[in-house]
């Protein structure tokens, strides 16, 4: 394997630190270069971008944070590890804000320096492997935000188109987070009532004793606390559209009143005698099984038929995984426009994980996962490590296996005095990333690798052998295994052949063919 070694640039004005870091990193066959100031570092990056940079925060001349900003403006994907003095957590937070990959506190633990470098290099390789961004969709085509082109969604779009011209009552059903409200808004926007108000009422959120007053208003003194007259939602959106959300959670008395509005087109304020004509289109939604509620007599059957003139069933996301790439692209483009994140795409591995999820919270859950991951992702790509742990866990062993299934870090050779001083003091050299504006704490950047399973080890071995490609896989494995068993059994052919599951004669032949020494 003649690939060029990974390149690491150390920027620090302290020559001892430059020397010791270079020494630690060189133990892993990294090509290490050094710069003695921010200015010098920037010049080096302009000349040839290194794979990873270790950058000191406190330097004479241009400070670390300023240098970081310069470097990131030259190349926004450049991975930079900040080195801060112990006790400057504030600077660390600042560092992450300006896009550092991670930070490490001085004095360093050489093992952690190596783990951090390895982590950064893996991230760099993953970012590189994700390739260039190509938009999946043009967001202009999805002004209402309902993304998807699966057959189930096309049905939805068709029905929306059919019901916009009339005032027909539409019932939108589907699991939570499938986009029922979006559909209601879209129907409203395309209807002749577009210029008039659309009012959404969450029937589940308003206390039972207040909902009638909310919907129909009340007269002064009609109940304790009714100190003045109140105009209800139906009256307020006269000429417009009312969206009755979570209709399955509506109290029986309110159901009766709503039925009346639908039948007569008129309302009465609570405590009032006057009948008021209203011209309102009703859209309704629920994630409950209304038919079941009708059977259980918890929902009025006559109201059910009044509302259920046209039905739009929102498909759960897991039944249309083919829409996921477009939805993710839409969300990332939107986040970028809103300046909430700079991420453009997800890696192939991440997409595979997203496609496998059950998404019980549907598009809302996907949206939440994308947002959480996008704000912590470093480059322009969401990688596996950026996904929330509960989602990442479904990725399976091959995808989650830590980088360091390879040999543990090689021991660092005896250190000269200066280096020993760097490594001696106790405080943890690498800590989990500091708080960032994300709803979830960042996963510790340098995870202690969990013990690997045989299957993971075999996956790794296979991947390595495939990459080497110099020798037939079985032959190599056979040789390695026979050698190990023989060593274990102290060269005893009888016991070794039993363990290997072959006859002694076969073992003899294999030893000859594979030219093994015993
Ligand atoms: N097809 C879609 N494309 C893009 N975003 C969507 C899509 N469907 C839903 N969303 C987004 O998912 C979130 C949930 O959508 P919405 O509120 O319409 O769902 P809901 O069915 O009303 O959920 P609930 O039953 O929990 O009220 C919103 O932020 C919405 O923008
Ligand atoms: Mg809703």
């Amino acid at each position: 394997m003649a690939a060029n070694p990974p390149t690491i640039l150390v920027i620090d004005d302290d020559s001892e630190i430059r020397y010791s870091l270079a020494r630690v990193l060189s133990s892993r066959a990294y090509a290490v270069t050094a710069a003695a100031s921010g200015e010098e570092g920037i010049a080096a990056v302009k000349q040839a971008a290194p794979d990873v940079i270790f950058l000191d925060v406190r330097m004479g001349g241009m400070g670390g944070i300023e240098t970081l900003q310069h470097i990131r403006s030259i190349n926004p994907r450049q991975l930079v590890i900040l080195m801060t003095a112990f006790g400057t957590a504030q600077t660390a937070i600042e560092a992450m804000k300006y896009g550092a990959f991670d930070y490490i506190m001085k004095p360093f633990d050489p093992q952690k320096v190596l783990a951090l470098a390895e982590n950064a290099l893996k991230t760099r390789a993953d970012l590189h492997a994700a390739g260039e961004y190509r938009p999946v969709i043009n967001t202009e085509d999805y002004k209402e935000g309902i993304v998807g082109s699966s057959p189930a969604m096309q049905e939805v779009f068709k029905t929306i188109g059919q019901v916009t011209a009339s005032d027909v009552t539409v019932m939108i059903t589907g699991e939570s987070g499938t986009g029922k409200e979006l559909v209601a808004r879209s129907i409203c926007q395309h209807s002749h009532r577009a210029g008039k108000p659309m009012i959404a009422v969450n029937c589940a959120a308003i206390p039972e004793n207040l909902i009638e007053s909310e919907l129909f208003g009340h007269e002064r003194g009609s109940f304790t606390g009714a100190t003045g007259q109140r105009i209800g939602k139906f009256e307020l959106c006269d000429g417009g559209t009312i969206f009755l959300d979570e209709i399955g959670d509506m109290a029986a008395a309110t159901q009766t009143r709503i039925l009346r509005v639908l039948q007569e087109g008129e309302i009465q304020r609570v405590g009032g005698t006057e009948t008021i004509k209203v011209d309102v289109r009703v859209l309704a939604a629920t994630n409950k099984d209304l038919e079941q509620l009708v059977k259980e007599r918890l929902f009025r059957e006559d109201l059910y038929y009044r509302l259920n003139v046209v039905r739009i069933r929102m498909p759960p996301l897991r039944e249309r995984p083919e829409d996921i790439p477009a939805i993710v692209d839409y969300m990332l483009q939107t986040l970028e426009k809103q300046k909430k994140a700079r991420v453009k795409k997800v890696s192939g591995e991440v997409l595979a994980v997203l496609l496998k999820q059950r998404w019980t919270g549907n598009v809302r859950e996907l949206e939440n996962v994308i947002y959480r991951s996008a704000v912590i992702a470093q480059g322009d790509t969401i990688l596996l490590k950026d996904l929330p742990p509960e989602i990442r866990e479904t990725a399976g062993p091959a995808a989650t296996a830590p980088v360091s299934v390879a040999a543990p870090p090689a021991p660092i050779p005896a250190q000269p005095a200066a280096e020993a001083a760097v490594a001696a003091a106790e405080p943890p050299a690498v800590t989990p990333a500091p708080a960032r504006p994300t709803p979830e704490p960042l996963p510790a950047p340098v995870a202690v690798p969990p013990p690997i399973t045989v299957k993971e080890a075999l996956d790794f071995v296979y991947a390595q052998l495939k990459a080497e490609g110099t020798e037939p896989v079985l032959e190599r494995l056979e040789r390695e295994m026979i050698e190990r068993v023989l060593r274990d059994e102290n060269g005893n052919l009888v016991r070794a052949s039993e363990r290997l599951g072959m006859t002694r004669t076969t073992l003899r032949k294999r030893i000859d063919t594979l030219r093994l020494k015993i």
Side-chain angles (χ1 to χ4, degrees):
M1 289 194 287
N4 288 336
T7 51
I8 298 182
L9 171 65
V10 177
I11 309 175
D12 199 312
D13 56 355
D14 181 337
S15 63
E16 280 179 10
I17 300 270
R18 289 200 304 274
Y19 170 78
S20 58
L21 261 186
R23 211 187 134 110
V24 170
L25 291 165
S26 306
S27 73
R28 273 292 176 80
Y30 299 141
V32 186
T33 49
S37 68
E39 292 84 348
E40 211 180 283
I42 291 168
V45 172
K46 278 187 182 154
Q47 214 169 39
D51 294 326
V52 174
I53 297 175
F54 279 82
L55 169 64
D56 186 31
V57 168
R58 203 173 301 167
M59 289 188 292
M62 189 186 288
I65 297 289
E66 201 185 335
T67 310
L68 172 67
Q69 284 171 287
H70 273 282
I71 289 173
R72 299 267 305 175
S73 69
I74 299 168
N75 174 12
R77 291 171 77 160
Q78 179 72 58
L79 296 181
V80 180
I81 296 164
L82 265 273
M83 303 183 282
T84 75
F86 180 61
T88 55
Q90 197 54 43
T91 326
I93 292 171
E94 187 96 322
M96 300 311 279
K97 201 170 89 186
Y98 288 110
F101 171 72
D102 211 325
Y103 73 95
I104 180 165
M105 282 193 186
K106 296 175 184 177
F108 315 122
D109 169 350
Q111 299 292 322
K112 289 187 176 160
V113 168
L114 288 173
L116 202 48
E118 195 181 339
N119 223 351
L121 286 166
K122 160 95 168 69
T123 299
R124 192 179 178 283
D126 288 347
L127 286 174
H128 193 69
E132 283 304 308
Y133 168 65
R134 256 177 258 112
V136 181
I137 56 161
N138 181 353
T139 51
E140 289 299 307
D141 296 340
Y142 295 93
K143 287 226 169 64
E144 285 128 54
I146 316 176
V147 182
S149 55
S150 55
M153 284 309 286
Q154 285 181 28
E155 269 311 304
V156 170
F157 295 139
K158 227 192 307 181
T159 318
I160 294 177
Q162 285 164 345
V163 298
T164 46
S166 70
D167 267 345
V168 70
T169 306
V170 182
M171 167 92 83
I172 311 158
T173 54
E175 290 178 17
S176 184
T178 45
K180 297 186 290 296
E181 183 159 351
L182 277 186
V183 167
R185 293 194 181 280
S186 165
I187 293 174
C188 177
Q189 276 162 25
H190 283 103
S191 74
H192 68 92
R193 294 171 184 265
K196 298 281 169 53
M198 165 167 161
I199 298 185
V201 182
N202 186 337
C203 303
I206 303 171
E208 209 175 305
N209 58 339
L210 289 185
I211 192 154
E212 286 194 45
S213 143
E214 275 287 320
L215 293 176
F216 312 118
H218 60 243
E219 295 296 349
R220 187 170 169 210
S222 55
F223 54 88
T224 325
T227 48
Q229 189 194 49
R230 175 178 188 171
I231 304 297
K233 298 261 159 58
F234 270 94
E235 238 181 296
L236 278 176
C237 76
D238 195 21
T241 311
I242 198 156
F243 174 46
L244 300 174
D245 204 359
E246 318 282 359
I247 192 124
D249 297 83
M250 193 185 270
T254 321
Q255 290 179 25
T256 312
R257 301 285 301 265
I258 295 269
L259 182 65
R260 178 157 170 211
V261 186
L262 293 179
Q263 277 169 340
E264 327 270 330
E266 56 190 34
I267 58 147
Q268 260 180 358
R269 299 189 191 120
V270 176
T273 46
E274 189 192 352
T275 303
I276 304 156
K277 281 264 166 224
V278 285
D279 166 29
V280 172
R281 184 198 197 160
V282 175
L283 303 175
T286 182
N287 56 17
K288 296 258 164 75
D289 181 348
L290 266 196
E291 286 74 17
Q292 187 58 33
L293 292 181
V294 169
K295 261 192 218 146
E296 292 169 15
R297 302 197 170 278
L298 292 169
F299 200 85
R300 288 185 66 128
E301 193 172 3
D302 42 9
L303 177 59
Y304 169 78
Y305 286 115
R306 273 278 166 187
L307 291 173
N308 196 28
V309 182
V310 173
R311 177 76 158 257
I312 297 183
R313 287 174 213 273
M314 297 306 292
L317 187 55
R318 66 186 157 280
E319 284 176 14
R320 50 184 185 108
E322 68 267 42
D323 286 340
I324 289 179
I327 295 176
V328 169
D329 187 41
Y330 176 82
M331 287 171 179
L332 290 177
Q333 288 195 44
T334 310
L335 284 176
E336 199 183 20
K337 270 190 218 136
Q338 296 169 342
K339 302 215 178 321
K340 289 185 180 160
R342 282 173 302 190
V343 175
K344 289 190 179 306
K345 59 187 191 297
V346 300
S347 73
E349 284 172 318
V350 166
L351 188 59
V353 173
L354 299 182
L355 291 172
K356 272 202 313 201
Q357 289 296 311
R358 272 197 61 69
W359 298 120
T360 45
N362 293 292
V363 188
R364 181 182 291 111
E365 188 187 0
L366 173 63
E367 193 172 52
N368 181 272
V369 164
I370 292 297
Y371 182 43
R372 282 161 72 187
S373 313
V375 288
I376 65 167
Q378 265 109 6
D380 64 352
T381 308
I382 295 177
L383 302 176
L384 263 191
K385 69 175 178 57
D386 304 319
L387 287 179
E390 69 276 12
I391 299 283
R392 203 178 342 145
E393 270 150 26
T394 60
T400 44
V403 209
S404 37
V405 284
I412 308 290
Q415 299 158 354
E419 190 176 325
V422 174
E426 268 314 289
V430 178
T431 62
R436 289 216 248 169
T438 72
E440 266 288 292
L442 202 65
V446 184
V448 179
I452 60 168
T453 64
V454 173
K455 187 178 172 305
E456 285 166 356
L458 287 174
D459 283 342
F460 178 73
V461 167
Y462 174 63
Q464 290 291 312
L465 294 184
K466 196 166 78 173
E468 278 176 22
T470 46
E471 193 179 2
V473 175
L474 259 189
E475 200 170 297
R476 174 74 185 273
L477 275 183
E478 194 181 11
R479 184 153 48 77
E480 298 284 345
M481 285 302 139
I482 293 179
E483 266 175 7
R484 278 167 177 71
V485 173
L486 281 172
R487 216 180 304 133
D488 219 23
E489 300 294 354
N490 295 321
N492 183 320
L493 288 188
V494 178
R495 284 206 301 272
S497 59
E498 269 168 22
R499 262 215 164 170
L500 287 160
M502 53 175 72
T503 64
R504 220 173 94 193
T505 328
T506 313
L507 177 56
R508 266 249 150 261
K509 275 191 204 142
R510 296 312 293 153
I511 290 172
D512 286 345
T513 318
L514 298 167
R515 296 208 191 98
L516 294 176
K517 292 196 190 78
I518 50 171

